[in-house]
Amino acid sequence: MGREKRQEYQDAAVKRSFAAYLNVFIEPGFKKRMEKDRRVEDLVLIFYSNATKVLQVGKAPGDDSWKLMVDRHVALFLRLLGLVLKDQEKEWSRDRPELTSRLATLESKLLAHDEDLAAGSNSANGTMIEVIAPLSYEIKDMPLVQVVGKVFSVDPTQLQSDVNTSKSTWTEEAALDDLKKYQRFLNVNSKKVLNSDDFDLEEAYDLWKKAETPDLSQMILTIVQSNPQLAKGTKLGHQPSGSTSSVRPYRSDSYSALGSTQENKLDSSYVIDQPVDMSSMSPSSENQTPFFENEEHPFVFIPADARAVYKAVLSHALSSDLQDDASQDFQEGPNPGSVKLLSQQSTELLNELCLRWRIPFFSRLILFLDVCRDKFVDRAISVETLLAAFEYVKTPLPEGKKDNAARNLMLQDRSKWTISDIALNQQILSTLNDALLRDLYSIATRCYEPKPPSIGLLIFFLETYIFPDPSFTKTSRDLDAFSGQLREGLREQAQANYQNFTNKNIPRDSQEWEFYNVIELGKSIMNLGQRIQKRYRKNPEILGANPLTELLSVVLPLFAEDAREIVAHILETAKAKGEEVPVEDGFELYKELVGIRQIHGDALPNVPFAFSIEDLLAGFVWRWIQLTEENVDKWVEGAVRQDEFKVRAAISDQAPTDQERHSVSVIDIFTSFNETINRIVQLNWDNDLQYAKFMTALAKIVGNALAHYCDLIEQKFVREMDRLTPEQELTGSQTRQERWMQMAKDAWSNKEKIEPFQFFPESFVKLNNIEFSMRQLDRLEKEVNVDACVDVITRNTPPLMIRQRKTANYVFTIKIVEAEDLKACDINGLSDPYVVLGDEYQKRLAKTRIIHANLNPRWDETVDITTQGPLNIVATVWDWDQLGEHDCVGRTSIKLDPSHFGDFMPREYWLDLDTQGRLLLRVSMEGERDDIQFYFGKAFRTLKRTERDMTRTITDKLSAYINHCLSRRALKGLINKPLTMASVSSYFNRNKPQQPAGGPTQGEIADALKSLFTYFDDNFAIMNQTLTKEAMIMVMARLWKEVLVTVESLVVPPLSDKPSQQKPLSQQELDIVFRWLDLLYDFFHAVDEETGQEEGVPMDVLRSPKYFDIKTMNFFYFEPTDSLIRESERMASVSATRQQNTNNRLSAPAGLVSLGAGSLLGAPRSRKTKSIMLSRNLGTMRKVKEEKRKEAQAEPSDDMILRILRMRPEAQRYLRDRSRQKERLAAAAAAEMIVKQSLMAGGGRMAGSLPRR
C-alpha cells in the first residue's frame, strides 16, 4: 500500500488510528457491505468509532483530552478522502461534485477549535501553533441563508438583522431538543407528527415509522458529534456567544453537510446502518425537558404546518429559478434539452428543509406537483415546464443505491402514502385534466388556421401522465362529453372557415357568378382538407374528435348545396341571354365536383351528395360531341388534302417496314378519334348509362368519318386506276377507220403480249391506309369496351321499351351478283358492262366496276342504301366505251319496301332487262339502330367493302391477261399445234416412219403458263415495294379467286335454269385445265424449297369451297345425264332434310317483284345474311368467314351438277322442274319463318314495329 508523505500524517497517534481503521477496511465482509451501499458516511463513522477506541486506551476515566484528538484524526481522514476524490476527478467530480465540497466543509468545522494542520506542514521546524477560530454569524458564511434571501427577495441587510436577532434561539441545543421531542411524539403516536391516522393502512404507517427511527438517531448523533458537550447530560439551554467553550452555537450547515442530497432529486434519506450507541444521550429525569402533548407548538425549527410552509418555500423557489436569467446551473429533466426546473442552490435548500422538517419523500414529490399544478392553472408556467416536472417526478431513481429501491417501490405502491397525499394527488390530476382539456379545446379549435399551435404536448401529457394514472377519477363518460364539445367546436370553426371561403371566392352579385368561382371554392376546401389530413396523418383523432371528419361533414354538404344553386343559376342565366358556357369550363367544373364528391362519399358514406353532377353537366358532353360531329368531316378532308400518300421510310436505303407503309392522313384521323374519345374517358364520368350513350354517339361519328374518308380515298384511287395508258391515249386521237385498221393489224400479228399495268405507289398506300384503319378501329373498339356499353344500356332499358322501339331508318344491302345474255354493243360482238343503281329521282347510289368483253359478267359488288320508307331502285346496265358516250344495255327496277323484309331474311331476284338478258340482285335489310355495336359494325363493313373494291380494282387490271391465258382459245392452241415447214416436209417424206400424234407434254402445258407467271411476277414486284404483307396476301388471294372463277367458267357455264350453248371440254382438255390449276396453286402458295416456309397465300385461303367444287367436278363431268339427275335429286333430298331438322332459315318466296318465269334461281338460296352486327370488329368478321367456309365444306351442293346439266340438252326439263321445286320449298320455309316471328313478337301482333335481330 502507498505511504502518505504529508507531515500531518506522520504523528504516531494518527498512524495508530489509521491502522485500526485499516484492519476493518481489509475485512472481506466490509468490502462486500461497501459495494452494496457505497456511502461515504459509513466510512467516516467506522473511522470515528475505531479512532475513539484507540485514543481511549491508557486514559484515566476523567480525562477528556483525547476527545479533541478524535476530531483532529477524523478531519485528517476527511482530508485524505478529499485528496483521493481529487485524484479521481473525472469520475467523482462530474457525478458528485457536492461531495467534495461537503467533506471540506466538515473538515473545517472539526478543526474550528484546533490548529491549522496545513499551516503546520509549512513550518520549518514542524512545530504546531494552536489558533482558536472565532464563530461567525455573517451571512456571507451561510450559503443556505443566502439562497433563502434570493428566493424571497430579501435584502442581505435584512437577512443579517434577522440572524442577529434570532441567533440566541436558533441553537444546537434547540435543534437537538426538537429531534428528541419529535422522537417522543413518534413513539407515542402523537398527532403533533405523522401518526397512524394519517395512513390508510397500518402496514404503511409501520413502514414509514421504521424508516424514521434510524434517521432521527443519526441526526441526533451528528449534532452531538459537532458539540460533544451536549452528550454530558447537562440541561440544554442557551450558551453565551462569547464563551470559549468547546460547545459552539448551532449552525444549520455544521451538521447537515453529510445529510445533503447526493443525487439530482429533492432529497435522499439520511440513514446510516452502522449501529450507534445512543444510551448516553437518554436524558436523566432531572434534566429532561418536560413533555407536553397538549403544547400548541413544541418545536423551534419545525413549523406548525410543515407541509404548507414547505409548499410556500418551494413555490417561491421555483418561481425565482424560472424567472432568474442569471441562474446557470439548473436541475434538468431526464432527457437532454428538456425544460430546466430548480437550481442546485434551491435544491439543497429544499433538501435541508425536508430533512429537518421530516417531510416524507413521496410528500415532497406530491407537493412539488401541487406547486406546478397551481402555477400551470394560473398560467405562470407552460405545459413544457409542467411536462418536465412530471417527467422528473415519474422517472425512477437509479438502481444500485441503498434507499432508491425502497423509494421506487413506495412511489409505485400508493397504498404506502398518507391519506392527504393520495387525496392531493387525485386533486392534482383532476385539476390538471380540466386545465389541459381547456387548453386543448382552445388550441384544437384553431386547427383550421394556416399555422395553428401544436397540441402534441397536451395530448402526450394527458395520455402519458393523466389518463393512465390509477388515481385519476374521471370516467370515459366525462371524456366522451369533452369529445362531443370538441366536435361541436370544430364544426363551428369549420362553418366559419367555409363562410370565409365563400366570401372570398363567390361574388355577392349573382350576375357575376361563373364556374370559375365554384371551382376556386372547391379548391379552397380541397386544399384545407389536404392540409388537415397531412397535419394529422399519424394521429387523425384528438381524443375522439377527428378534425378532418368534422370539417368535411360540415363544409361538403354546404358546398354541394351552394354549387348546385350557383351552377343552375349560371346555366339559366346563360340560356336566358342566348349564350353558352364554354365546354371546357364545364369539363373543368365536372372534374372538381367529382373529386369533391369522392371525398364526400369517403368521409360521409351514409350521406348522399346533394345533386347528380352528371345530370346537371351532361349537356356539356353532348355539346362536345355535337361540335365533334360538325367538325369531323373537315378533319378528314384536311388530313386527306395534306397527305401525299407516300411511304414513311425512316431509312431511305432500306425497305420500309409494314408500320411505315401507310401515310399520315390515317394516323391524323385516328389520333383525332382517340383524342376525342379520351377527352370523355378522362372525365371519369360516373354515370354508366350516360357514358355508354356518349360512346354510342362517338361511335356513330367515327363510323361516318371513316365512311367519308373511304369515299375520298376511293375517289382518288379510282382516278389513278382508271387513267388512260399511252396506247389508249393514242387510240383516242384516231378516227373510227383508223381504230378498225389497228384492230385488224393486231389480230393479224397475233399480238398477245400485255404490258403490266403501271401502278402508282400512292394507290397502294391508299390500300394500306384502309387496312391500317381496320386494325386501328378494331383496337379502338376494344378500348371503348363496346360489349360493356351495350350491356349497360340493355340493363337500364325496360324490356317493354326494347320491344316497342320503332326503327326509324333501314339499311338495305344490295349485292349486284351477275348478269346473263346481255346485248352485244361493241363491234367485236361483246360488251364492256357495268351497273349503275339510282333512285326514282335519278340520283346515283352506286356504280360497279367494268367487266370487259363479256356478255355474262359477274360483279359480286355490294352497296348499302339507307332509307326511312319504301324506295324504288332503278338498275341500269351500261356498256363502257373508251371514246364517245356509253351505250345503254338495259334497265330494270326493284322496290325496296321495309314491310316486305320484316323477317330480315335475304332474297335473290333475277330481274329481266327491258332489252335482253337479266340481272341477279341479292337484297337483305336490317333496321339501323342507335347501337354502338351497330355503328362499329357498319364502320368495319364500310372499310372492308372499300378494301375489297380497291383490291378488286387492282386485280381487274390483271384479270384480262388471266382470261387471255386461261381461255378456250389458249387451250385449243395448245392441243392443235400450228402448221410448220417441218411438218409439211415430213408429210412428203413417206420413206420415214411416222410418229403417232399425241397430246402436249407436261413441259408444254407448263410453258403455256410461263407468260402468265412472268406477268404475275412483274406486277407482284411492283406491289411488294409498297403494299404491306397483309395487303399483299389479300391482293394475291383476290387474284386467286379470279383464277378460280376463270377456270370454272372455262369448264362449266354459270348456274341457270336455261340450257347453255357452251360445249363441254374433252377429257384431254379437262386434264390440261386441272394441270394448270395445280401449277397455279403451287405458284400462289409459294413454298420455299429450302426452308419449306409459306411465303404466299395461306393454304386455308387457297383451299376455298370453290376450289373444292372445281376439283370434285372431275367426278361428274363425263357421267351420263340420267346418273347426274339421280345424284342431283339425292343431294337435294339430303339437303332439304338437313335444313328441316336444323330449322335453317330459307329465303322468302319470289313474287314481291316480277321475276323471269322458270328461273332456277328465282327463289333465293339458303344463305345467311351478312348482318352489320356480325362485322363489328375484326374478330367477328374472321369468325363469320370461318363459319361460312366450314358450312360450305360441310354441306355439299348439287349446283355443280346443275351447271354440268346445262350443257346437256336432254336435261332441260329437269332444270325447269327443279327450279319450281326450289320455289315451293322456299315459299314454305318463308311462311313458317313469318309465323314464328309473328308469335315471338307477341301473339301475332306486329304493333307497327319491326322485330330486332
Side-chain angles (χ1 to χ4, degrees):
M1 56 184 293
R3 295 176 58 84
E4 178 58 46
K5 299 180 180 180
R6 293 175 178 267
Q7 184 176 357
E8 57 266 28
Y9 293 97
Q10 305 305 317
D11 182 72
V14 172
K15 290 181 179 181
R16 286 196 300 272
S17 297
F18 274 86
Y21 170 77
L22 180 61
N23 292 333
V24 179
F25 183 80
I26 61 178
E27 293 179 359
F30 175 82
K31 183 177 182 182
K32 181 181 299 185
R33 187 169 61 254
M34 290 305 301
E35 287 180 351
K36 177 180 178 181
D37 298 334
R38 301 181 65 84
R39 294 175 57 84
V40 70
E41 294 90 338
D42 297 345
L43 299 178
V44 176
L45 291 176
I46 292 173
F47 185 88
Y48 171 80
S49 176
N50 286 277
T52 301
K53 294 177 181 179
V54 171
L55 293 176
Q56 280 181 342
V57 175
K59 300 295 183 182
D63 187 3
D64 293 334
S65 60
W66 60 271
K67 294 182 178 179
L68 295 179
M69 297 301 297
V70 172
D71 290 348
R72 182 184 308 167
H73 291 185
V74 171
L76 289 174
F77 179 74
L78 292 176
R79 178 176 298 181
L80 183 62
L81 288 178
L83 295 174
V84 173
L85 293 179
K86 185 176 181 181
D87 294 339
Q88 303 293 330
E89 181 179 1
K90 293 183 179 180
E91 297 182 7
W92 291 88
S93 298
R94 180 180 67 251
D95 297 336
R96 309 174 78 172
E98 75 284 358
L99 181 58
T100 304
S101 175
R102 290 187 2 243
L103 292 176
T105 302
L106 183 57
E107 176 191 350
S108 63
K109 293 175 181 178
L110 293 173
L111 298 178
H113 56 281
D114 205 343
E115 66 276 7
D116 187 359
L117 298 180
S121 63
N122 295 329
S123 61
N125 53 8
T127 60
M128 303 176 65
I129 303 174
E130 182 175 355
V131 179
I132 303 299
L135 296 176
S136 174
Y137 293 96
E138 299 295 330
I139 62 171
K140 65 180 180 179
D141 298 325
M142 304 178 184
L144 293 181
V145 174
Q146 297 175 13
V147 174
V148 171
K150 182 179 78 68
V151 168
F152 289 93
S153 302
V154 179
D155 185 79
T157 304
Q158 182 65 38
L159 286 176
Q160 187 65 56
S161 174
D162 292 341
V163 169
N164 295 335
T165 301
S166 302
K167 64 182 180 180
S168 60
T169 305
W170 298 342
T171 64
E172 291 175 325
E173 293 87 342
L176 182 61
D177 188 47
D178 279 355
L179 291 177
K180 291 180 181 180
K181 291 179 180 180
Y182 185 91
Q183 192 175 44
R184 290 195 295 272
F185 289 149
L186 180 64
N187 292 332
V188 298
N189 197 20
S190 172
K191 293 185 179 180
K192 298 295 183 179
V193 297
L194 287 178
N195 56 80
S196 59
D197 294 338
D198 294 322
F199 291 88
D200 190 34
L201 300 176
E202 191 69 26
E203 178 187 358
Y205 171 71
D206 293 340
L207 182 65
W208 170 79
K209 182 178 180 181
K210 182 179 180 181
E212 280 288 281
T213 301
D215 280 2
L216 290 173
S217 299
Q218 184 61 43
M219 292 175 65
I220 293 174
L221 176 62
T222 303
I223 296 176
V224 171
Q225 289 176 347
S226 65
N227 188 355
Q229 295 297 327
L230 296 178
K232 293 183 178 181
T234 59
K235 185 178 179 179
L236 300 177
H238 173 69
Q239 296 291 336
S241 59
S243 173
T244 58
S245 171
S246 61
V247 178
R248 295 173 296 147
Y250 168 74
R251 293 174 57 186
S252 62
D253 55 350
S254 65
Y255 58 86
S256 65
L258 291 177
S260 300
T261 181
Q262 299 181 25
E263 307 166 6
N264 287 335
K265 290 291 183 177
L266 292 178
D267 189 19
S268 61
S269 179
Y270 194 103
V271 179
I272 299 178
D273 293 335
Q274 182 71 20
V276 179
D277 185 10
M278 298 297 295
S279 58
S280 62
M281 298 303 301
S282 299
S284 60
S285 58
E286 62 274 12
N287 59 11
Q288 179 178 353
T289 303
F291 176 72
F292 299 100
E293 172 66 25
N294 296 326
E295 187 177 357
E296 182 177 357
H297 183 60
F299 302 112
V300 174
F301 289 98
I302 301 177
D305 189 353
R307 288 171 58 92
V309 177
Y310 175 79
K311 178 182 175 181
V313 175
L314 175 60
S315 177
H316 283 80
L318 182 61
S319 299
S320 175
D321 288 341
L322 291 176
Q323 296 175 2
D324 190 0
D325 295 335
S327 181
Q328 299 294 329
D329 188 12
F330 284 88
Q331 298 286 81
E332 295 188 0
N335 299 321
S338 60
V339 178
K340 299 176 182 179
L341 300 172
L342 295 170
S343 65
Q344 182 178 353
Q345 295 83 357
S346 298
T347 302
E348 292 179 354
L349 173 63
L350 294 171
N351 289 343
E352 194 69 20
L353 294 178
C354 289
L355 180 66
R356 302 304 167 192
W357 295 350
R358 307 313 302 159
I359 297 177
F361 178 72
F362 48 81
S363 297
R364 306 174 200 176
L365 299 181
I366 295 301
L367 291 173
F368 178 69
L369 294 181
D370 189 24
V371 169
C372 293
R373 182 268 309 263
D374 293 340
K375 292 187 177 298
F376 178 75
V377 172
D378 297 337
R379 300 189 183 279
I381 61 174
S382 64
V383 67
E384 290 85 358
T385 304
L386 183 66
L387 178 62
F390 268 77
E391 288 178 347
Y392 170 71
V393 170
K394 299 294 182 179
T395 302
L397 297 172
E399 298 295 335
K401 298 184 181 299
K402 177 180 178 181
D403 299 332
N404 288 356
R407 291 185 177 185
N408 288 333
L409 181 61
M410 184 174 293
L411 287 177
Q412 295 174 2
D413 186 4
R414 298 183 182 181
S415 63
K416 305 297 190 296
W417 294 8
T418 63
I419 297 175
S420 60
D421 287 330
I422 295 175
L424 181 58
N425 185 47
Q426 294 177 348
Q427 181 184 1
I428 291 171
L429 294 176
S430 178
T431 306
L432 285 179
N433 176 73
D434 296 339
L436 290 171
L437 291 182
R438 174 199 64 197
D439 292 351
L440 180 63
Y441 180 89
S442 176
I443 296 176
T445 52
R446 296 174 57 189
C447 65
Y448 303 131
E449 297 178 2
K451 293 183 178 181
S454 174
I455 62 172
L457 282 177
L458 294 175
I459 297 294
F460 175 79
F461 195 101
L462 287 168
E463 293 181 348
T464 304
Y465 296 115
I466 303 298
F467 298 155
D469 198 297
S471 300
F472 182 61
T473 58
K474 298 289 185 178
T475 64
S476 58
R477 183 177 300 177
D478 298 324
L479 184 60
D480 293 340
F482 171 78
S483 299
Q485 296 175 0
L486 180 57
R487 284 193 293 269
E488 185 64 28
L490 290 173
R491 285 194 288 269
E492 293 177 0
Q493 293 300 318
Q495 188 169 5
N497 275 269
Y498 178 77
Q499 188 62 43
N500 294 334
F501 291 151
T502 304
N503 296 336
K504 179 181 178 181
N505 295 287
I506 306 299
R508 295 184 178 274
D509 187 0
S510 61
Q511 299 299 320
E512 300 179 1
W513 287 353
E514 296 180 359
F515 284 178
Y516 171 79
N517 304 128
V518 181
I519 294 173
E520 289 301 311
L521 178 59
K523 288 182 178 179
S524 299
I525 295 174
M526 296 280 281
N527 292 337
L528 177 58
Q530 291 173 359
R531 189 167 68 244
I532 296 301
Q533 185 179 24
K534 182 178 180 181
R535 182 178 298 158
Y536 300 101
R537 180 175 60 254
K538 295 182 179 179
N539 299 300
E541 289 191 353
I542 303 175
L543 297 185
N546 191 316
L548 180 61
T549 301
E550 302 305 326
L551 171 70
L552 298 181
S553 65
V554 172
V555 301
L556 291 183
L558 293 175
F559 172 80
E561 293 290 345
D562 292 346
R564 177 178 58 184
E565 295 179 3
I566 295 174
V567 172
H569 182 272
I570 293 174
L571 295 178
E572 292 174 0
T573 303
K575 183 178 180 180
K577 293 181 180 180
E579 301 175 351
E580 289 184 344
V581 180
V583 174
E584 291 298 329
D585 291 353
F587 286 175
E588 187 176 358
L589 175 63
Y590 177 78
K591 290 182 179 180
E592 189 67 30
L593 292 179
V594 167
I596 294 179
R597 183 177 62 186
Q598 183 176 358
I599 297 177
H600 184 283
D602 296 338
L604 309 173
N606 298 323
V607 180
F609 201 69
F611 66 99
S612 173
I613 304 174
E614 286 73 21
D615 292 342
L616 188 61
L617 301 180
F620 289 93
V621 182
W622 287 117
R623 281 174 52 200
W624 169 266
I625 294 174
Q626 182 181 358
L627 292 173
T628 302
E629 186 175 11
E630 293 173 356
N631 296 322
V632 68
D633 287 345
K634 297 179 182 178
W635 299 349
V636 173
E637 293 169 0
V640 173
R641 184 169 52 253
Q642 298 176 6
D643 194 0
E644 297 180 355
F645 297 99
K646 293 182 178 180
V647 174
R648 301 172 298 104
I651 303 176
S652 58
D653 298 338
Q654 297 181 3
T657 63
D658 283 357
Q659 297 299 323
E660 299 171 344
R661 297 197 176 203
H662 51 269
S663 61
V664 296
S665 61
V666 69
I667 298 177
D668 294 342
I669 289 174
F670 274 94
T671 300
S672 301
F673 292 162
N674 289 322
E675 290 177 352
T676 302
I677 293 176
N678 288 337
R679 192 70 179 88
I680 305 299
V681 173
Q682 290 171 358
L683 290 176
N684 294 320
W685 200 262
D686 200 18
N687 186 307
D688 293 341
L689 180 60
Q690 291 180 351
Y691 178 80
K693 291 181 178 180
F694 296 156
M695 292 297 107
T696 301
L698 290 176
K700 183 178 180 180
I701 294 174
V702 170
N704 293 337
L706 287 176
H708 187 49
Y709 181 72
C710 289
D711 290 340
L712 297 177
I713 292 297
E714 196 167 11
Q715 290 173 13
K716 289 179 174 290
F717 181 82
V718 170
R719 285 197 299 268
E720 294 168 357
M721 300 300 292
D722 289 348
R723 70 186 188 279
L724 298 178
T725 62
E727 292 80 2
Q728 291 173 338
E729 293 178 356
L730 179 60
T731 304
S733 63
Q734 293 176 343
T735 62
R736 185 178 181 86
Q737 183 177 1
E738 289 175 342
R739 290 201 299 273
W740 276 99
M741 293 296 297
Q742 185 64 39
M743 291 176 60
K745 290 180 181 179
D746 293 342
W748 177 259
S749 62
N750 196 19
K751 184 177 181 181
E752 296 182 358
K753 182 172 178 59
I754 300 178
E755 296 294 333
F757 184 78
Q758 297 299 321
F759 295 103
F760 287 163
E762 292 81 356
S763 302
F764 294 144
V765 171
K766 293 180 178 65
L767 180 59
N768 293 339
N769 286 356
I770 300 300
E771 183 263 335
F772 179 79
S773 297
M774 294 184 67
R775 288 190 281 111
Q776 290 298 308
L777 185 63
D778 184 69
R779 178 181 177 184
L780 188 63
E781 190 258 357
K782 291 182 175 62
E783 291 177 352
V784 171
N785 200 353
V786 169
D787 294 336
C789 293
V790 173
D791 181 65
V792 169
I793 293 176
T794 303
R795 284 189 285 104
N796 290 275
T797 304
L800 184 61
M801 291 183 59
I802 297 177
R803 188 169 68 247
Q804 295 182 351
R805 183 171 56 187
K806 294 185 178 180
T807 303
N809 296 327
Y810 304 93
V811 179
F812 282 93
T813 301
I814 302 177
K815 183 173 184 179
I816 305 171
V817 184
E818 60 181 335
E820 281 187 355
D821 195 21
L822 296 180
K823 180 181 69 174
C825 297
D826 292 339
I827 58 177
N828 57 1
L830 299 173
S831 294
D832 302 322
Y834 65 93
V835 180
V836 174
L837 297 184
D839 61 10
E840 54 191 352
Y841 303 105
Q842 298 183 354
K843 178 182 178 182
R844 176 182 288 190
L845 301 177
K847 174 181 175 294
T848 67
R849 71 188 190 283
I850 301 169
I851 305 298
H852 293 278
N854 200 324
L855 298 179
N856 299 293
R858 187 177 185 88
W859 292 279
D860 286 329
E861 295 189 18
T862 306
V863 62
D864 287 339
I865 298 176
T866 302
T867 180
Q868 296 180 347
L871 180 66
N872 290 321
I873 298 296
V874 178
T876 305
V877 182
W878 295 90
D879 171 58
W880 178 84
D881 284 333
Q882 186 174 353
L883 299 175
E885 296 187 359
H886 301 180
D887 300 325
C888 179
V889 178
R891 287 187 177 87
T892 187
S893 64
I894 182 174
K895 184 178 182 180
L896 304 179
D897 191 346
S899 62
H900 297 163
F901 290 83
D903 57 355
F904 297 104
M905 297 300 297
R907 294 170 173 80
E908 291 182 347
Y909 301 99
W910 275 108
L911 305 177
D912 293 329
L913 300 178
D914 57 0
T915 55
Q916 174 185 333
R918 57 183 182 171
L919 179 66
L920 177 60
L921 299 181
R922 184 177 296 123
V923 183
S924 63
M925 184 200 76
E926 60 182 314
E928 184 175 76
R929 299 177 291 178
D930 189 20
D931 185 283
I932 189 171
Q933 290 180 335
F934 178 86
Y935 292 133
F936 268 100
K938 188 175 181 181
F940 271 109
R941 191 157 72 169
T942 300
L943 290 171
K944 190 63 180 177
R945 287 179 179 173
T946 302
E947 182 185 58
R948 184 174 60 245
D949 292 344
M950 295 173 68
T951 303
R952 181 178 290 145
T953 302
I954 294 173
T955 57
D956 284 347
K957 298 301 180 181
L958 310 178
S959 61
Y961 196 62
I962 295 175
N963 294 329
H964 172 76
C965 296
L966 302 179
S967 62
R968 291 200 171 213
R969 179 169 174 268
L971 190 60
K972 295 295 183 182
L974 181 60
I975 295 175
N976 301 324
K977 298 179 180 180
L979 187 65
T980 62
M981 293 300 297
S983 61
V984 173
S985 61
S986 64
Y987 175 78
F988 291 101
N989 191 357
R990 299 178 181 272
N991 296 326
K992 295 183 178 180
Q994 299 292 326
Q995 296 293 335
T1001 64
Q1002 293 296 323
E1004 292 173 342
I1005 295 174
D1007 291 341
L1009 296 182
K1010 184 178 295 185
S1011 60
L1012 179 61
F1013 291 156
T1014 302
Y1015 183 72
F1016 282 159
D1017 288 336
D1018 293 342
N1019 285 278
F1020 289 166
I1022 298 174
M1023 297 178 189
N1024 197 41
Q1025 295 177 359
T1026 307
L1027 288 177
T1028 62
K1029 183 178 181 180
E1030 186 173 349
M1032 185 68 186
I1033 293 178
M1034 181 176 57
V1035 171
M1036 294 176 67
R1038 179 63 195 178
L1039 201 59
W1040 170 249
K1041 188 174 182 179
E1042 292 290 337
V1043 169
L1044 293 180
V1045 170
T1046 303
V1047 171
E1048 184 183 45
S1049 64
L1050 183 63
V1051 179
V1052 292
L1055 187 64
S1056 178
D1057 60 342
K1058 297 180 180 180
S1060 174
Q1061 300 300 320
Q1062 183 174 336
K1063 300 299 180 181
L1065 298 177
S1066 64
Q1067 183 66 56
Q1068 186 181 35
E1069 291 173 336
L1070 189 62
D1071 293 341
I1072 294 174
V1073 171
F1074 279 108
R1075 177 57 182 163
W1076 282 351
L1077 183 61
D1078 293 338
L1079 293 173
L1080 288 167
Y1081 180 91
D1082 294 338
F1083 177 81
F1084 278 91
H1085 196 202
V1087 177
D1088 193 323
E1089 296 180 357
E1090 296 181 358
T1091 62
Q1093 183 178 359
E1094 298 179 2
E1095 297 182 355
V1097 181
M1099 185 179 296
D1100 59 337
V1101 177
L1102 293 175
R1103 294 176 177 267
S1104 62
K1106 185 176 288 297
Y1107 173 79
F1108 283 106
D1109 287 344
I1110 296 174
K1111 294 293 287 185
T1112 58
M1113 191 187 303
N1114 196 24
F1115 296 104
F1116 306 106
Y1117 200 77
F1118 297 106
E1119 286 291 315
T1121 302
D1122 294 342
S1123 178
L1124 291 178
I1125 291 175
R1126 287 193 300 271
E1127 182 65 22
S1128 175
E1129 290 175 345
R1130 185 191 66 79
M1131 296 176 68
S1133 176
V1134 173
S1135 178
T1137 303
R1138 182 168 54 251
Q1139 292 179 10
Q1140 184 67 25
N1141 293 335
T1142 58
N1143 292 324
N1144 284 343
R1145 291 176 297 173
L1146 299 176
S1147 55
L1152 297 177
V1153 295
S1154 60
L1155 299 177
S1159 171
L1160 179 64
L1161 297 180
R1165 303 172 59 190
S1166 175
R1167 183 186 300 271
K1168 290 184 179 180
T1169 179
K1170 291 185 178 179
S1171 170
I1172 290 177
M1173 298 301 292
L1174 297 178
S1175 304
R1176 62 179 183 268
N1177 56 43
L1178 291 179
T1180 58
M1181 294 170 68
R1182 295 190 186 100
K1183 183 177 180 180
V1184 170
K1185 189 174 182 180
E1186 181 65 21
E1187 290 179 354
K1188 179 180 177 183
R1189 184 181 66 84
K1190 292 180 179 180
E1191 181 182 357
Q1193 293 179 357
E1195 297 183 2
S1197 173
D1198 63 341
D1199 289 351
M1200 193 58 67
I1201 296 178
L1202 295 177
R1203 296 175 72 172
I1204 295 175
L1205 289 176
R1206 284 193 66 194
M1207 297 184 293
R1208 311 283 179 89
E1210 62 273 18
Q1212 180 177 359
R1213 182 177 179 180
Y1214 174 76
L1215 293 174
R1216 185 171 58 253
D1217 294 341
R1218 182 64 189 282
S1219 176
R1220 293 174 182 174
Q1221 180 187 8
K1222 285 192 173 184
E1223 290 178 2
R1224 289 193 299 271
L1225 293 174
E1232 181 181 358
M1233 182 62 67
I1234 291 175
V1235 173
K1236 183 182 297 185
Q1237 291 183 350
S1238 177
L1239 293 175
M1240 293 176 62
R1245 297 174 298 165
M1246 300 302 293
S1249 62
L1250 295 176
R1252 293 165 58 92
R1253 283 190 74 239

